[in-house]
Amino acid sequence: QKEVEQDPGPLSVPEGAIVSLNCTYSNSAFQYFMWYRQYSRKGPELLMYTYSSGNKEDGRFTAQVDKSSKYISLFIRDSQPSDSATYLCAMIKTGANNLFFGTGTRLTVIP
Amino acid sequence: ETGVTQTPRHLVMGMTNKKSLKCEQHLGHNAMYWYKQSAKKPLELMFVYSLEERVENNSVPSRFSPECPNSSHLFLHLHTLQPEDSALYLCASSQATGGSEKLFFGSGTQLSVL
């Protein structure tokens, strides 16, 4: 079993839709959770970073962590064509230097 | 443009060639990483340098050889590669302590091995 599972998509939505991206994990030692966004022909960039269970909001983006279910989500409200990218979840254990990534979900927002 | 610069952007090499990938970071970080990104696979950590010492080597074949001459520069030397080594190679940097989760990536080198 992979440590981090992420539906690879692809996912296509109309502009203005609410997007939900999800990852599950198996190791309860993961304590920090991230979402990276990767545009075509670019490296990933950190989008959201959370530590505790609950929600964290940043503009149109909300990251949700449920440690009891080992499940994390990224919600995008009022999606825009510029949100079209691959979204990678990542997580790390306390004190470690090795991030575990999901395979990424490719999102296309259609104008 | 990001604070992490990788060259070259694209590289095509034969199985008997020797080449090097270069990474430079301008963020004042003291940890640098090499990752491999293949289609439909998670990013694979290859090497980590923290304070210029190698601290992670995830069972990477010896045909990949990293070098970190200082905290701003990182190289990946390649020799006698295999076609399955074709992938996007990403360099990243972070603070060594209390920041390993906040990686800053370069745009990568797209490597094709013929």
Side-chain angles (χ1 to χ4, degrees):
Chain A
Q1 182 187 10
K2 292 180 186 174
E3 298 231 38
V4 181
E5 298 275 1
Q6 181 175 10
D7 186 342
L11 181 63
S12 291
V13 301
E15 183 175 353
I18 296 174
V19 176
S20 173
L21 305 168
N22 310 294
C23 286
T24 59
Y25 61 97
S26 56
N27 193 332
S28 57
F30 290 128
Q31 295 294 318
Y32 297 86
F33 304 90
M34 284 71 65
W35 286 95
Y36 283 82
R37 178 176 60 194
Q38 185 173 19
Y39 290 114
S40 180
R41 291 186 287 277
K42 294 286 188 182
E45 58 176 331
L46 183 62
L47 188 61
M48 297 286 284
Y49 163 80
T50 58
Y51 170 69
S52 57
S53 284
N55 294 349
K56 181 177 181 179
E57 192 173 315
D58 184 2
R60 296 184 295 109
F61 298 89
T62 299
Q64 188 176 80
V65 174
D66 182 347
K67 289 186 177 179
S68 62
S69 300
K70 298 189 180 67
Y71 188 90
I72 67 171
S73 300
L74 178 70
F75 298 97
I76 307 174
R77 291 187 302 280
D78 187 26
S79 56
Q80 302 295 308
S82 58
D83 295 328
S84 298
T86 297
Y87 291 81
L88 305 157
C89 65
M91 47 201 76
I92 192 169
K93 304 167 190 174
T94 302
N97 52 28
N98 186 3
L99 266 70
F100 287 81
F101 284 86
T103 52
T105 300
R106 186 173 175 185
L107 171 68
T108 301
V109 180
I110 303 166
Chain B
E1 189 62 67
T2 66
V4 180
T5 304
Q6 287 187 245
T7 55
R9 291 296 305 274
H10 303 274
L11 179 62
V12 179
M13 58 187 290
M15 292 168 61
T16 58
N17 291 158
K18 290 184 180 180
K19 296 287 184 183
S20 295
L21 309 184
K22 179 183 176 182
C23 177
E24 184 174 359
Q25 60 95 2
H26 307 277
L27 300 170
H29 290 159
N30 50 19
M32 296 189 78
Y33 309 74
W34 281 116
Y35 277 88
K36 177 183 178 182
Q37 187 173 34
S38 304
K40 302 188 190 310
K41 288 186 176 180
L43 268 73
E44 300 173 47
L45 179 64
M46 300 176 73
F47 302 104
V48 180
Y49 278 83
S50 178
L51 303 173
E52 299 169 35
E53 288 193 18
R54 191 192 304 180
V55 296
E56 192 89 32
N57 177 354
N58 278 357
S59 303
V60 178
S62 59
R63 56 186 183 268
F64 295 92
S65 175
E67 179 189 0
C68 186
N70 54 60
S71 61
S72 298
H73 294 86
L74 185 65
F75 296 89
L76 188 62
H77 303 299
L78 315 172
H79 64 97
T80 59
L81 294 191
Q82 304 298 310
E84 61 265 29
D85 297 322
S86 298
L88 181 67
Y89 288 85
L90 291 161
C91 172
S93 70
S94 75
Q95 290 298 342
T97 54
S100 300
E101 63 277 8
K102 297 179 182 177
L103 297 178
F104 290 77
F105 285 90
S107 293
T109 295
Q110 186 65 55
L111 173 66
S112 297
V113 181
L114 303 178

Short mmCIF file of all heavy atoms in Angstrom, two decimals, chain A residues 2 4 32 34 36 38 41-46 49 88 92 96-99 101-103, chain B residues 9 33 35 37 40-43 45 48 55-56 58 88 90 100-103 105-107:
data_model
loop_
_atom_site.label_atom_id
_atom_site.label_comp_id
_atom_site.label_asym_id
_atom_site.label_seq_id
_atom_site.Cartn_x
_atom_site.Cartn_y
_atom_site.Cartn_z
N LYS A 2 0.52 2.21 -0.88
CA LYS A 2 1.26 3.45 -0.91
C LYS A 2 1.01 4.22 0.37
O LYS A 2 -0.07 4.15 0.95
CB LYS A 2 0.79 4.30 -2.09
CG LYS A 2 1.13 3.74 -3.46
CD LYS A 2 0.60 4.68 -4.55
CE LYS A 2 0.79 4.08 -5.93
NZ LYS A 2 0.17 4.92 -6.96
N VAL A 4 0.77 7.49 0.54
CA VAL A 4 -0.15 8.57 0.20
C VAL A 4 -0.88 8.20 -1.09
O VAL A 4 -0.25 7.86 -2.09
CB VAL A 4 0.61 9.90 0.00
CG1 VAL A 4 -0.36 11.02 -0.33
CG2 VAL A 4 1.44 10.24 1.22
N TYR A 32 2.49 17.19 9.29
CA TYR A 32 2.39 18.42 8.51
C TYR A 32 1.88 18.06 7.13
O TYR A 32 2.33 17.07 6.53
CB TYR A 32 3.76 19.10 8.39
CG TYR A 32 4.34 19.55 9.70
CD1 TYR A 32 5.08 18.68 10.49
CD2 TYR A 32 4.13 20.85 10.16
CE1 TYR A 32 5.61 19.08 11.70
CE2 TYR A 32 4.67 21.26 11.37
CZ TYR A 32 5.40 20.37 12.13
OH TYR A 32 5.92 20.78 13.33
N MET A 34 0.71 19.50 3.18
CA MET A 34 0.88 20.58 2.23
C MET A 34 0.13 20.28 0.94
O MET A 34 -0.13 19.11 0.61
CB MET A 34 2.38 20.71 1.86
CG MET A 34 3.26 21.37 2.90
SD MET A 34 3.52 20.36 4.37
CE MET A 34 4.44 19.00 3.69
N TYR A 36 0.77 21.43 -3.05
CA TYR A 36 1.61 22.11 -4.03
C TYR A 36 0.84 22.20 -5.35
O TYR A 36 0.09 21.28 -5.71
CB TYR A 36 2.92 21.35 -4.26
CG TYR A 36 3.95 21.54 -3.17
CD1 TYR A 36 3.89 20.80 -2.00
CD2 TYR A 36 4.99 22.45 -3.33
CE1 TYR A 36 4.84 20.96 -1.00
CE2 TYR A 36 5.94 22.62 -2.34
CZ TYR A 36 5.86 21.87 -1.18
OH TYR A 36 6.80 22.06 -0.20
N GLN A 38 1.40 22.71 -9.51
CA GLN A 38 2.43 22.62 -10.54
C GLN A 38 1.83 22.93 -11.90
O GLN A 38 1.00 22.18 -12.41
CB GLN A 38 3.06 21.22 -10.56
CG GLN A 38 4.22 21.08 -11.51
CD GLN A 38 4.94 19.75 -11.40
OE1 GLN A 38 4.39 18.77 -10.88
NE2 GLN A 38 6.17 19.67 -11.89
N ARG A 41 5.29 22.51 -17.33
CA ARG A 41 6.70 22.88 -17.58
C ARG A 41 7.28 23.76 -16.47
O ARG A 41 8.21 24.54 -16.69
CB ARG A 41 6.86 23.55 -18.94
CG ARG A 41 6.64 22.59 -20.10
CD ARG A 41 6.96 23.27 -21.43
NE ARG A 41 5.94 24.23 -21.79
CZ ARG A 41 4.80 23.92 -22.38
NH1 ARG A 41 4.53 22.66 -22.66
NH2 ARG A 41 3.92 24.85 -22.69
N LYS A 42 6.71 23.64 -15.27
CA LYS A 42 7.24 24.35 -14.11
C LYS A 42 7.41 23.38 -12.95
O LYS A 42 6.87 22.27 -12.96
CB LYS A 42 6.26 25.46 -13.67
CG LYS A 42 6.10 26.59 -14.68
CD LYS A 42 7.32 27.48 -14.70
CE LYS A 42 7.07 28.71 -15.56
NZ LYS A 42 8.27 29.57 -15.64
N GLY A 43 8.17 23.81 -11.94
CA GLY A 43 8.27 23.02 -10.73
C GLY A 43 7.08 23.27 -9.81
O GLY A 43 6.37 24.27 -9.96
N PRO A 44 6.83 22.39 -8.85
CA PRO A 44 5.74 22.62 -7.90
C PRO A 44 6.00 23.86 -7.05
O PRO A 44 7.15 24.18 -6.75
CB PRO A 44 5.76 21.35 -7.03
CG PRO A 44 6.52 20.33 -7.83
CD PRO A 44 7.51 21.10 -8.62
N GLU A 45 4.91 24.54 -6.65
CA GLU A 45 5.02 25.68 -5.74
C GLU A 45 4.08 25.44 -4.57
O GLU A 45 2.96 24.93 -4.74
CB GLU A 45 4.68 27.00 -6.45
CG GLU A 45 3.29 27.03 -7.06
CD GLU A 45 2.95 28.37 -7.68
OE1 GLU A 45 3.45 29.41 -7.21
OE2 GLU A 45 2.14 28.37 -8.63
N LEU A 46 4.53 25.79 -3.37
CA LEU A 46 3.73 25.57 -2.18
C LEU A 46 2.50 26.48 -2.20
O LEU A 46 2.61 27.69 -2.33
CB LEU A 46 4.57 25.85 -0.93
CG LEU A 46 3.89 25.61 0.41
CD1 LEU A 46 3.50 24.14 0.57
CD2 LEU A 46 4.80 26.04 1.56
N TYR A 49 -0.33 25.11 3.57
CA TYR A 49 0.46 24.36 4.56
C TYR A 49 -0.36 24.32 5.85
O TYR A 49 -0.79 25.37 6.34
CB TYR A 49 1.79 25.08 4.77
CG TYR A 49 2.54 24.69 6.01
CD1 TYR A 49 3.29 23.53 6.05
CD2 TYR A 49 2.52 25.51 7.14
CE1 TYR A 49 4.00 23.19 7.19
CE2 TYR A 49 3.22 25.17 8.28
CZ TYR A 49 3.96 24.01 8.30
OH TYR A 49 4.66 23.67 9.42
N LEU A 88 -0.62 18.65 -6.11
CA LEU A 88 0.06 17.57 -5.41
C LEU A 88 -0.14 17.73 -3.91
O LEU A 88 0.16 18.79 -3.36
CB LEU A 88 1.57 17.61 -5.70
CG LEU A 88 2.01 17.58 -7.16
CD1 LEU A 88 3.40 18.17 -7.31
CD2 LEU A 88 1.99 16.16 -7.66
N ILE A 92 4.62 15.19 5.83
CA ILE A 92 5.93 14.91 6.42
C ILE A 92 5.77 14.61 7.89
O ILE A 92 4.85 15.09 8.55
CB ILE A 92 6.88 16.12 6.18
CG1 ILE A 92 8.33 15.77 6.52
CG2 ILE A 92 6.42 17.34 6.95
CD1 ILE A 92 9.33 16.83 6.06
N ALA A 96 11.51 15.08 10.26
CA ALA A 96 12.04 14.39 9.07
C ALA A 96 12.35 15.41 7.98
O ALA A 96 11.95 16.56 8.04
CB ALA A 96 11.02 13.37 8.56
N ASN A 97 13.10 14.98 6.98
CA ASN A 97 13.37 15.86 5.84
C ASN A 97 12.90 15.24 4.54
O ASN A 97 13.32 15.64 3.45
CB ASN A 97 14.86 16.23 5.76
CG ASN A 97 15.76 15.01 5.80
OD1 ASN A 97 15.36 13.94 5.39
ND2 ASN A 97 16.95 15.17 6.32
N ASN A 98 12.05 14.25 4.62
CA ASN A 98 11.55 13.56 3.44
C ASN A 98 10.05 13.75 3.33
O ASN A 98 9.28 13.19 4.12
CB ASN A 98 11.90 12.07 3.53
CG ASN A 98 11.54 11.34 2.26
OD1 ASN A 98 11.08 11.94 1.30
ND2 ASN A 98 11.70 10.03 2.25
N LEU A 99 9.63 14.57 2.34
CA LEU A 99 8.20 14.72 2.08
C LEU A 99 7.70 13.51 1.30
O LEU A 99 8.37 13.00 0.40
CB LEU A 99 7.93 15.96 1.25
CG LEU A 99 7.57 17.24 1.99
CD1 LEU A 99 8.77 17.77 2.71
CD2 LEU A 99 7.02 18.29 1.02
N PHE A 101 4.83 12.52 -1.28
CA PHE A 101 3.91 13.17 -2.21
C PHE A 101 2.87 12.20 -2.73
O PHE A 101 3.14 10.99 -2.87
CB PHE A 101 4.68 13.73 -3.42
CG PHE A 101 5.43 15.00 -3.15
CD1 PHE A 101 6.73 14.96 -2.64
CD2 PHE A 101 4.85 16.23 -3.41
CE1 PHE A 101 7.43 16.14 -2.40
CE2 PHE A 101 5.54 17.41 -3.17
CZ PHE A 101 6.84 17.35 -2.66
N GLY A 102 1.68 12.72 -3.06
CA GLY A 102 0.73 11.99 -3.87
C GLY A 102 1.16 12.07 -5.33
O GLY A 102 2.10 12.78 -5.68
N THR A 103 0.44 11.35 -6.19
CA THR A 103 0.79 11.33 -7.60
C THR A 103 0.35 12.60 -8.32
O THR A 103 0.82 12.87 -9.42
CB THR A 103 0.14 10.13 -8.31
OG1 THR A 103 -1.27 10.12 -8.01
CG2 THR A 103 0.75 8.82 -7.84
N ARG B 9 17.35 23.21 -19.19
CA ARG B 9 15.93 22.91 -19.08
C ARG B 9 15.59 21.58 -19.74
O ARG B 9 14.69 20.87 -19.29
CB ARG B 9 15.09 24.02 -19.73
CG ARG B 9 15.13 25.34 -18.97
CD ARG B 9 14.49 25.23 -17.57
NE ARG B 9 13.14 24.70 -17.61
CZ ARG B 9 12.06 25.44 -17.79
NH1 ARG B 9 12.16 26.73 -17.96
NH2 ARG B 9 10.87 24.87 -17.80
N TYR B 33 17.85 19.70 -2.40
CA TYR B 33 17.30 18.38 -2.68
C TYR B 33 17.29 18.10 -4.19
O TYR B 33 17.11 19.02 -4.99
CB TYR B 33 15.83 18.31 -2.23
CG TYR B 33 15.55 18.77 -0.81
CD1 TYR B 33 15.57 20.12 -0.47
CD2 TYR B 33 15.22 17.85 0.18
CE1 TYR B 33 15.30 20.55 0.81
CE2 TYR B 33 14.93 18.27 1.48
CZ TYR B 33 14.97 19.61 1.78
OH TYR B 33 14.69 20.03 3.06
N TYR B 35 14.93 15.71 -6.67
CA TYR B 35 13.77 14.85 -6.81
C TYR B 35 13.67 14.38 -8.25
O TYR B 35 14.02 15.11 -9.18
CB TYR B 35 12.48 15.62 -6.47
CG TYR B 35 12.14 15.71 -5.01
CD1 TYR B 35 12.64 16.75 -4.23
CD2 TYR B 35 11.30 14.78 -4.41
CE1 TYR B 35 12.31 16.84 -2.88
CE2 TYR B 35 10.97 14.87 -3.07
CZ TYR B 35 11.47 15.90 -2.31
OH TYR B 35 11.15 15.99 -0.99
N GLN B 37 10.75 13.17 -11.04
CA GLN B 37 9.31 13.14 -11.29
C GLN B 37 9.04 12.39 -12.59
O GLN B 37 9.43 12.84 -13.67
CB GLN B 37 8.73 14.56 -11.37
CG GLN B 37 7.22 14.57 -11.45
CD GLN B 37 6.62 15.97 -11.36
OE1 GLN B 37 7.20 16.94 -11.84
NE2 GLN B 37 5.46 16.08 -10.74
N LYS B 40 2.72 9.71 -13.74
CA LYS B 40 1.83 8.87 -12.93
C LYS B 40 2.51 8.29 -11.69
O LYS B 40 2.02 7.31 -11.12
CB LYS B 40 1.24 7.74 -13.77
CG LYS B 40 0.45 8.22 -14.99
CD LYS B 40 -0.27 7.08 -15.66
CE LYS B 40 -0.87 7.45 -17.00
NZ LYS B 40 -1.67 8.66 -16.99
N LYS B 41 3.62 8.88 -11.27
CA LYS B 41 4.28 8.44 -10.04
C LYS B 41 4.47 9.62 -9.11
O LYS B 41 4.61 10.76 -9.57
CB LYS B 41 5.66 7.85 -10.35
CG LYS B 41 5.63 6.50 -11.03
CD LYS B 41 7.06 5.97 -11.12
CE LYS B 41 7.12 4.59 -11.70
NZ LYS B 41 8.51 4.09 -11.78
N PRO B 42 4.51 9.39 -7.80
CA PRO B 42 4.81 10.49 -6.87
C PRO B 42 6.24 10.96 -7.06
O PRO B 42 7.10 10.21 -7.54
CB PRO B 42 4.64 9.85 -5.49
CG PRO B 42 3.94 8.56 -5.72
CD PRO B 42 4.26 8.12 -7.10
N LEU B 43 6.49 12.20 -6.67
CA LEU B 43 7.87 12.68 -6.66
C LEU B 43 8.72 11.76 -5.79
O LEU B 43 8.32 11.39 -4.68
CB LEU B 43 7.96 14.10 -6.10
CG LEU B 43 7.87 15.24 -7.10
CD1 LEU B 43 6.46 15.40 -7.61
CD2 LEU B 43 8.35 16.53 -6.46
N LEU B 45 12.20 11.34 -3.79
CA LEU B 45 13.37 12.01 -3.25
C LEU B 45 14.61 11.18 -3.58
O LEU B 45 14.66 9.97 -3.32
CB LEU B 45 13.24 12.17 -1.74
CG LEU B 45 14.41 12.83 -1.03
CD1 LEU B 45 14.58 14.28 -1.49
CD2 LEU B 45 14.23 12.76 0.48
N VAL B 48 19.43 14.51 -0.36
CA VAL B 48 19.26 15.71 0.44
C VAL B 48 20.63 16.14 0.95
O VAL B 48 21.39 15.31 1.46
CB VAL B 48 18.34 15.46 1.65
CG1 VAL B 48 18.19 16.75 2.46
CG2 VAL B 48 16.98 14.95 1.21
N VAL B 55 22.58 14.05 3.73
CA VAL B 55 21.88 13.41 4.84
C VAL B 55 20.88 12.38 4.39
O VAL B 55 20.27 11.69 5.19
CB VAL B 55 21.17 14.46 5.72
CG1 VAL B 55 22.18 15.38 6.36
CG2 VAL B 55 20.16 15.26 4.92
N GLU B 56 20.65 12.27 3.10
CA GLU B 56 19.68 11.31 2.60
C GLU B 56 20.13 10.81 1.25
O GLU B 56 20.57 11.59 0.41
CB GLU B 56 18.30 11.98 2.45
CG GLU B 56 17.14 11.04 2.21
CD GLU B 56 16.50 10.55 3.49
OE1 GLU B 56 16.49 11.31 4.47
OE2 GLU B 56 16.01 9.41 3.49
N ASN B 58 18.36 7.91 -1.07
CA ASN B 58 17.30 6.91 -1.09
C ASN B 58 17.56 5.80 -2.08
O ASN B 58 16.83 5.63 -3.04
CB ASN B 58 15.96 7.60 -1.39
CG ASN B 58 15.37 8.22 -0.15
OD1 ASN B 58 15.90 8.10 0.92
ND2 ASN B 58 14.26 8.90 -0.33
N LEU B 88 11.60 14.07 -15.36
CA LEU B 88 11.86 15.46 -14.98
C LEU B 88 12.63 15.44 -13.65
O LEU B 88 12.17 14.84 -12.68
CB LEU B 88 10.55 16.22 -14.82
CG LEU B 88 10.65 17.69 -14.44
CD1 LEU B 88 11.28 18.50 -15.58
CD2 LEU B 88 9.28 18.26 -14.09
N LEU B 90 13.98 17.52 -10.59
CA LEU B 90 13.68 18.77 -9.91
C LEU B 90 14.65 19.00 -8.77
O LEU B 90 14.92 18.10 -7.97
CB LEU B 90 12.26 18.74 -9.34
CG LEU B 90 11.13 18.77 -10.37
CD1 LEU B 90 9.83 18.28 -9.74
CD2 LEU B 90 10.95 20.17 -10.92
N SER B 100 11.76 22.02 6.44
CA SER B 100 11.90 20.98 5.42
C SER B 100 10.62 20.76 4.65
O SER B 100 10.64 20.25 3.54
CB SER B 100 12.34 19.67 6.06
OG SER B 100 13.57 19.81 6.70
N GLU B 101 9.49 21.14 5.25
CA GLU B 101 8.23 20.92 4.56
C GLU B 101 7.93 22.01 3.55
O GLU B 101 7.09 21.84 2.68
CB GLU B 101 7.08 20.82 5.57
CG GLU B 101 6.84 22.07 6.38
CD GLU B 101 7.75 22.20 7.59
OE1 GLU B 101 8.68 21.39 7.73
OE2 GLU B 101 7.51 23.12 8.39
N LYS B 102 8.63 23.12 3.64
CA LYS B 102 8.36 24.25 2.74
C LYS B 102 9.47 24.29 1.69
O LYS B 102 10.46 25.01 1.84
CB LYS B 102 8.29 25.55 3.53
CG LYS B 102 7.14 25.55 4.53
CD LYS B 102 7.10 26.85 5.31
CE LYS B 102 5.97 26.81 6.34
NZ LYS B 102 5.93 28.01 7.19
N LEU B 103 9.28 23.48 0.67
CA LEU B 103 10.27 23.38 -0.39
C LEU B 103 10.01 24.42 -1.46
O LEU B 103 8.86 24.71 -1.81
CB LEU B 103 10.23 22.00 -1.02
CG LEU B 103 10.56 20.80 -0.13
CD1 LEU B 103 10.43 19.51 -0.91
CD2 LEU B 103 11.95 20.95 0.45
N PHE B 105 10.93 24.85 -5.37
CA PHE B 105 11.41 24.05 -6.49
C PHE B 105 11.88 24.93 -7.64
O PHE B 105 11.33 26.03 -7.88
CB PHE B 105 10.30 23.14 -7.01
CG PHE B 105 10.01 21.96 -6.14
CD1 PHE B 105 9.06 22.04 -5.14
CD2 PHE B 105 10.66 20.75 -6.35
CE1 PHE B 105 8.77 20.94 -4.34
CE2 PHE B 105 10.38 19.65 -5.57
CZ PHE B 105 9.44 19.74 -4.56
N GLY B 106 12.84 24.41 -8.38
CA GLY B 106 13.17 24.97 -9.68
C GLY B 106 12.21 24.43 -10.72
O GLY B 106 11.30 23.64 -10.41
N SER B 107 12.39 24.84 -11.98
CA SER B 107 11.51 24.40 -13.06
C SER B 107 11.87 23.03 -13.62
O SER B 107 11.13 22.48 -14.42
CB SER B 107 11.51 25.43 -14.19
OG SER B 107 10.91 26.64 -13.76
#
